[in-house]
Amino acid sequence: MLLLMGYLILIFALTPKFLYYKMHVNYAKLLINEPKLEKCNKHLFSTAWIDHLKKDGYELVQEDLRHLILCKHHNKLPKLNNSEASLVFLVIAKQDDFDFYGDEVDQGIQAYYMKHKDYEKVIKRITLQFKKYDMINEKAREEVETAILYEAGKHTLINLTFIYDNKGGLLGLNPGDWYPSKYAYFAFKECKRICDIKD
């Protein structure tokens, strides 16, 4: 019995470290390939694109002069076996100096949870972040390489950043044929779908 107790304590002590290292390994694997610039068949950041997202089921959460946030709730992610209820947020920056990890976005998401109390129990959250640059530069590449791929137990938090240039290209991480999880797979595919990027 004492051995079993010691074993359980060891597991509980090591699990957070294991998950932490797993997240960093997955992130490093995503960075093996250079970020990829792909052609969008939709004109991103336009009123028509935002209207299309709303018609597609994305609900406006917050909008101001610097950004807008949209959200779509899925009871189960489309074309993804054994997926659970998930929230997909789109954060669209209107200025190239906007901080996706600042208080503005967090407050907008928290306000959404306050409005939709039943969604507070949803533990799968995907956030796709879009920003526009005149041209792809080193700063844009650094933003793309800032990603969150957190998974602990049933909790999932994925943040991916994509940079749109004025030639209609979208720069994002390039997973190749490997994805850290089925939720990361969905995140990349959803970005391609809403931006009309052909495989």
Side-chain angles (χ1 to χ4, degrees), residues 140-157:
R141 289 181 181 280
E142 286 173 11
E143 286 209 63
V144 164
E145 291 176 352
T146 304
I148 296 174
L149 302 165
Y150 176 79
E151 290 188 71
K154 292 193 166 211
H155 292 267
T156 299
L157 178 65

Side-chain angles (χ1 to χ4, degrees), residues 3-142:
L3 183 61
L4 180 62
M5 291 291 287
Y7 181 67
L8 288 174
I9 290 170
L10 185 64
I11 287 174
F12 286 122
L14 293 180
T15 298
K17 287 186 180 188
F18 171 76
L19 293 172
Y20 175 80
Y21 290 120
K22 180 183 174 196
M23 180 178 71
H24 284 282
V25 167
N26 286 341
Y27 175 68
K29 281 172 116 176
L30 270 180
L31 293 181
I32 289 173
N33 299 325
E34 284 289 314
K36 188 174 183 183
L37 185 66
E38 299 188 273
K39 177 72 177 163
C40 295
N41 293 308
K42 289 205 181 296
H43 185 70
L44 305 194
F45 292 82
S46 66
T47 304
W49 183 57
I50 303 300
D51 289 343
H52 175 77
L53 293 171
K54 291 176 183 175
K55 286 178 190 165
D56 190 47
Y58 281 95
E59 175 187 350
L60 182 64
V61 173
Q62 183 181 57
E63 182 171 15
D64 63 21
L65 295 173
R66 295 175 43 77
H67 75 290
L68 66 94
I69 302 173
L70 300 151
C71 184
K72 188 174 189 178
H73 174 261
H74 295 273
N75 287 321
K76 181 181 176 195
L77 294 175
K79 300 178 184 175
L80 206 59
N81 293 333
N82 302 322
S83 64
E84 297 177 36
S86 306
L87 289 171
V88 180
F89 286 93
L90 306 179
V91 181
I92 301 165
K94 296 179 180 180
Q95 299 172 351
D96 64 6
D97 65 344
F98 182 76
D99 180 9
F100 288 119
Y101 300 99
D103 289 339
E104 293 168 278
V105 173
D106 189 51
Q107 289 167 1
I109 290 172
Q110 293 309 317
Y112 183 78
Y113 282 125
M114 294 297 288
K115 184 179 174 185
H116 300 280
K117 293 280 190 188
D118 48 330
Y119 292 165
E120 287 180 345
K121 295 176 185 170
V122 177
I123 56 176
K124 309 288 187 193
R125 189 171 99 194
I126 297 167
T127 305
L128 305 178
Q129 304 166 158
F130 296 90
K131 191 179 276 192
K132 187 175 183 180
Y133 277 73
D134 290 333
M135 56 186 273
I136 302 299
N137 56 25
E138 196 55 40
K139 185 180 173 196
R141 289 181 181 280
E142 286 173 11

